[in-house]
């Protein structure tokens, strides 16, 4: 079952919507309000608005969800394509008026180059782990037009350990989650939260310049990567 896509679909079409729960291994599950995926400009945080203002040229919005960021850009006459792995979420985007939609896994897509690649709401987490991040950055080299930019936000989750991260086999920002909706659960999956220092080290090793563009007061930051 496409748990997240089903939640987005039910919420939009008002088909007996229910609670979307996110399980992690730190404690009780948290409820994710599905309305978050339908935010308009007034409800978007400053970090997201800053990223959207920086988008230029042809734009690929990866992990577009219900299409809120794509619609924001489209309404401002930006050339934006929304990429979303969930078929049900892609159907909602189409119904909401998103004009260009790719329903695919980003790692399978390599048909066109873009001036801006955008991942918001910690969309970079799809890399899953540090090795996956290196693979994703390599893949983006095929997707970026000359002079292009990669924009995304992430956060340092050291606060989960009160800044005293214990020795671990894996990187502490590789967090396991699972979604639950209408008693259906996804398998456990890893989602990456990358701290600034580690990101910069990995990016520079792979030939990227790192610019921190925005910091908030909650350990979140916005970054731009460009090829050296």
């Amino acid at each position: 079952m496409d748990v997240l896509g089903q939640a987005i679909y039910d919420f939009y079409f008002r088909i007996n919507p229910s609670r979307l729960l996110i399980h992690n291994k730190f404690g009780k599950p948290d409820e994710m309000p599905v309305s978050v995926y339908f935010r308009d400009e007034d409800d978007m945080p400053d970090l997201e608005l800053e990223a959207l203002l920086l988008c230029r040229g042809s734009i690929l919005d990866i992990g577009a969800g219900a299409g809120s960021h794509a619609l924001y850009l489209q309404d401002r006459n930006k050339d934006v394509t929304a990429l979303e792995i969930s078929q049900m979420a892609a159907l909602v985007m189409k119904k909401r008026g998103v004009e260009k939609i790719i329903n695919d896994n980003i790692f399978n897509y390599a048909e066109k180059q873009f001036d801006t690649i955008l991942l918001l709401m910690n969309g970079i987490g799809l890399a899953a782990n540090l090795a996956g991040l290196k693979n994703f950055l390599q893949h983006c080299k095929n997707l970026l037009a000359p002079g292009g930019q990669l924009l995304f936000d992430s956060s340092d989750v050291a606060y989960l350990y009160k800044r005293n991260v214990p020795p671990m086999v894996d990187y502490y920002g590789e967090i396991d989650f699972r979604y639950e909706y209408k008693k259906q659960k996804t398998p456990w999956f890893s989602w990456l939260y990358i701290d600034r220092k580690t990101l910069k080290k990995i990016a520079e090793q792979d030939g990227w310049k790192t610019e921190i563009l925005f910091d908030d007061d909650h350990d979140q930051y916005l970054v731009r990567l460009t090829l050296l």
Side-chain angles (χ1 to χ4, degrees), residues 130 133 171-172 194-203:
L130 297 184
L133 176 62
Y171 173 62
Y172 71 89
I194 183 82
D195 70 276
R196 301 157 185 77
K197 184 177 179 180
T198 304
L199 171 63
K200 184 176 182 181
K201 179 180 178 181
I202 290 174

Side-chain angles (χ1 to χ4, degrees), residues 124-183:
I124 196 65
L126 61 80
N129 51 44
L130 297 184
L133 176 62
K134 295 175 184 178
N135 291 336
F136 178 74
L137 292 179
Q138 280 290 328
H139 186 55
C140 283
K141 290 181 179 180
N142 300 318
L143 296 175
L144 270 185
Q149 60 177 349
L150 174 57
L151 294 172
F152 61 88
D153 65 293
S154 194
S155 57
D156 184 351
V157 293
Y159 66 86
L160 293 172
Y161 305 93
K162 298 182 179 179
R163 306 288 175 188
N164 187 23
V165 181
M168 294 181 175
V169 174
D170 299 319
Y171 173 62
Y172 71 89
E174 299 168 9
I175 308 295
D176 290 335
F177 294 102
R178 74 190 309 179
Y179 287 116
E180 179 181 357
Y181 181 70
K182 293 185 176 179
K183 298 183 179 181

Side-chain angles (χ1 to χ4, degrees), residues 32 36-37 39 48 69 119-124 153 191:
M32 169 66 84
V36 166
Y37 297 98
R39 285 180 290 184
E48 291 183 13
H69 298 124
L119 303 96
L120 291 179
M121 298 177 69
N122 199 66
I124 196 65
D153 65 293
W191 201 253

Side-chain angles (χ1 to χ4, degrees), residues 1-11 86 88-89 181-182:
M1 180 182 180
D2 176 8
V3 172
L4 179 56
Q6 186 71 59
I8 288 172
Y9 187 93
D10 289 354
F11 182 91
S86 165
M88 301 189 84
Y181 181 70
K182 293 185 176 179

Side-chain angles (χ1 to χ4, degrees), residues 41 46-56 72-73 76 78 118 149 151:
E41 180 181 358
D46 290 341
L47 181 151
E48 291 183 13
L49 293 173
E50 180 71 17
L52 293 168
L53 289 172
L54 291 168
C55 290
R56 52 177 169 76
Y72 175 99
L73 293 166
R76 286 153 181 80
K78 300 289 186 179
L118 178 70
Q149 60 177 349
L151 294 172

Side-chain angles (χ1 to χ4, degrees), residues 54-109:
L54 291 168
C55 290
R56 52 177 169 76
S58 57
I59 304 157
L60 181 64
D61 178 16
I62 298 176
S68 292
H69 298 124
L71 286 169
Y72 175 99
L73 293 166
Q74 188 176 287
D75 289 346
R76 286 153 181 80
N77 298 315
K78 300 289 186 179
D79 178 15
V80 58
T81 299
L83 186 144
E84 173 56 52
I85 195 171
S86 165
Q87 184 177 18
M88 301 189 84
L91 288 171
V92 169
M93 282 197 287
K94 184 176 181 181
K95 190 71 174 179
R96 295 184 76 199
V98 177
E99 295 173 358
K100 296 182 181 180
I101 301 171
I102 299 168
N103 183 204
D104 204 350
N105 184 320
I106 182 56
F107 290 102
N108 295 335
Y109 182 78

